[in-house]
Amino acid sequence: MKGINFGIIGCGRVAIRHIEAIQLASNAKLIAVCDGDKARAEEKSLLGNVPFYVDYHEMFKQHPEIQVVIILTPSGSHYEHAVDIISRYQKHLVIEKPFVMTIAEGLTLKLLADKASVKIFPVYQNRCNKAVQFVKNAINQGELGAVRVGTVRVRWCRPQRYYNLSPWRGTWAMDGGAMTNQGIHYIDLLRYICGEITRVHAKLATLGAEIEVEDTGVAIVEFASGAVGVIEIMTSARPDDFEASISAVCENGLAVISGIATNILQTFSPNPAKCQLESENFKDAYGFGHNKVIEEVANSILYDKQFLVEFDDGLQTIKLLHAIYRSDELGTWVEVNEAKDSKRLGVPDEALLQLYRTSTKEHETAL
């Protein structure tokens, strides 16, 4: 089978999952990896059995055959790296969550991608989970019926030492708080499973760590269907992670998805026997969804197929995220499609950004 050549920029923990997914795909091949930290780049190169670089400009010079770049750098660097790679090298991009920090970044990136005739693939891998697909289909096909209340609860523990691991963590410019970092997948799944959200009223707070951003947030939401819901996301729970769940109370019953990464169908009242059948065991919070993501990225390029999450769909989750922040800033209801960028989230910090920029003078490769 004809394959697509991938390169990776950013060799943190999630890079392992992307490397594994490429290795498992019959239509994809990993060519090289890059990270400003030589040790991390070398470690991932050994895992992928490919050359490593500390300068992505050098990586592209040595490997012009790379067709798709997976951006796994800190969140606040995604936009700058994406713009540079599209403008200089005209590569397709896979970008981890959140794929942009602001609505404005997303709109600009879309214009650049269209002009360069390249595709951007936002990563929302949890949409691929068996339990998620099962509940979504049960709603769409009428088994559960119309949603009446949709709820997200993420009650996790991220103590001060977590935020002290890297300078970008817990910052408005490069990370965002519990809603943005830990909550983005759950916020996305709420609209994916229960339908589009039209407006929100949110309250955010910082209660468990000395950081710029929120570690606790609650939002009331209204769906386009007339249903209502609640988003509760926190990293200030102590001393452990307690819960991460999505529930849909519908006209014909209740569905609850839980587990370390929305992988367990905990409750399905119309047919409880489905719970075991539609659940998966994950070894970590990344799950198996990246396997499908990489396979479908390659298919989209090879055969011009529609991707799992189209750009505008992915950007709608970013709009919802900013509506939550704007509601907290304004102290009132905010319409999602009329929301402007938060005054805090994604505001650039040049000193922080400089720590994660690639020097074009320094590079190294090794097998």
Side-chain angles (χ1 to χ4, degrees):
M1 178 182 286
K2 186 178 179 182
I4 295 296
N5 295 327
F6 287 76
I8 291 176
I9 295 177
C11 292
R13 289 183 303 166
V14 73
I16 297 172
R17 191 73 275 280
H18 283 269
I19 291 169
E20 291 172 345
I22 293 169
Q23 291 171 332
L24 288 169
S26 61
N27 56 359
K29 180 181 180 181
L30 182 63
I31 301 299
V33 299
C34 177
D35 193 285
D37 184 316
K38 179 182 173 181
R40 287 198 305 193
E42 185 172 16
E43 177 189 17
K44 301 310 185 297
S45 77
L46 293 173
L47 181 64
N49 193 29
V50 294
F52 75 86
Y53 296 80
V54 296
D55 180 334
Y56 66 75
H57 301 292
E58 183 65 18
M59 182 174 76
F60 295 137
K61 179 181 177 181
Q62 297 297 326
H63 301 284
E65 71 272 23
I66 291 174
Q67 297 163 279
V68 182
V69 181
I70 303 176
I71 297 179
L72 307 178
T73 52
S75 302
S77 298
H78 290 174
Y79 174 71
E80 186 170 295
H81 287 148
V83 168
D84 191 42
I85 292 166
I86 291 174
S87 301
R88 290 177 187 254
Y89 305 106
Q90 294 78 52
K91 306 293 186 182
H92 303 288
L93 300 178
V94 175
I95 311 178
E96 266 288 352
K97 60 84 178 172
F99 76 104
V100 287
M101 290 291 284
T102 69
I103 302 167
E105 288 178 354
L107 295 174
T108 301
L109 208 53
K110 181 66 161 58
L111 290 174
L112 285 172
D114 288 346
K115 183 178 180 181
S117 298
V118 299
K119 297 183 177 184
I120 298 175
F121 304 96
V123 177
Y124 292 99
Q125 81 274 6
N126 288 347
R127 290 193 184 193
C128 302
N129 295 353
K130 281 180 65 175
V132 170
Q133 286 296 314
F134 177 77
V135 173
K136 181 174 175 61
N137 289 334
I139 291 171
N140 290 348
Q141 295 170 9
E143 185 176 5
L144 277 169
V147 176
R148 292 178 175 169
V149 177
T151 302
V152 163
R153 286 198 297 266
V154 178
R155 296 168 173 172
W156 283 349
C157 174
R158 298 294 183 272
Q160 190 67 44
R161 64 180 179 275
Y162 165 84
Y163 295 102
N164 292 344
L165 288 172
S166 300
W168 62 272
R169 291 186 185 273
T171 63
W172 288 114
M174 300 288 286
D175 188 14
M179 288 283 178
T180 305
N181 189 321
Q182 289 78 19
I184 188 73
H185 281 305
Y186 293 87
I187 292 170
D188 178 70
L189 287 181
L190 186 64
R191 54 174 289 268
Y192 179 66
I193 293 172
C194 297
E196 288 298 347
I197 294 169
T198 56
R199 67 177 192 150
V200 301
H201 197 314
K203 177 62 179 176
L204 309 178
T206 308
L207 303 176
E210 294 183 9
I211 51 176
E212 298 176 7
V213 297
E214 88 287 349
D215 62 6
T216 307
V218 177
I220 304 169
V221 305
E222 291 185 3
F223 294 88
S225 65
V228 294
V230 176
I231 297 172
E232 177 199 330
I233 295 174
M234 63 192 303
T235 54
S236 59
R238 299 292 185 271
D240 300 306
D241 292 351
F242 293 114
E243 179 182 5
S245 67
I246 296 175
S247 63
V249 183
C250 306
E251 61 179 332
N252 298 329
L254 168 67
V256 180
I257 304 171
S258 62
I260 61 172
T262 58
N263 54 305
I264 302 296
L265 184 59
Q266 179 179 318
T267 303
F268 188 72
S269 65
N271 185 353
K274 290 289 186 179
C275 290
Q276 184 173 356
L277 294 173
E278 302 299 335
S279 296
E280 301 170 273
N281 291 319
F282 287 173
K283 64 179 181 179
D284 55 40
Y286 297 125
F288 304 137
H290 288 94
N291 299 348
K292 185 70 170 177
V293 167
I294 295 300
E295 180 183 323
E296 290 303 311
V297 166
N299 283 337
S300 177
I301 296 168
L302 286 168
Y303 310 115
D304 198 29
K305 290 180 60 177
Q306 182 173 328
F307 183 58
L308 299 165
V309 185
E310 291 291 286
F311 186 94
D312 290 342
D313 186 7
L315 187 59
Q316 192 63 29
T317 295
I318 302 299
K319 290 180 180 179
L320 173 56
L321 181 67
H322 275 268
I324 291 169
Y325 282 103
R326 287 295 288 159
S327 175
D328 177 66
E329 290 162 4
L330 297 171
T332 189
W333 285 94
V334 169
E335 300 288 330
V336 173
N337 284 332
E338 297 176 9
K340 298 179 181 179
D341 281 330
S342 164
K343 293 181 178 180
R344 300 169 291 180
L345 182 63
V347 175
D349 182 324
E350 281 299 313
L352 266 179
L353 275 169
Q354 191 59 37
L355 296 176
Y356 301 97
R357 287 187 172 125
T358 294
S359 167
T360 58
K361 296 180 181 179
E362 178 184 304
H363 60 266
E364 181 164 348
T365 82
L367 283 174

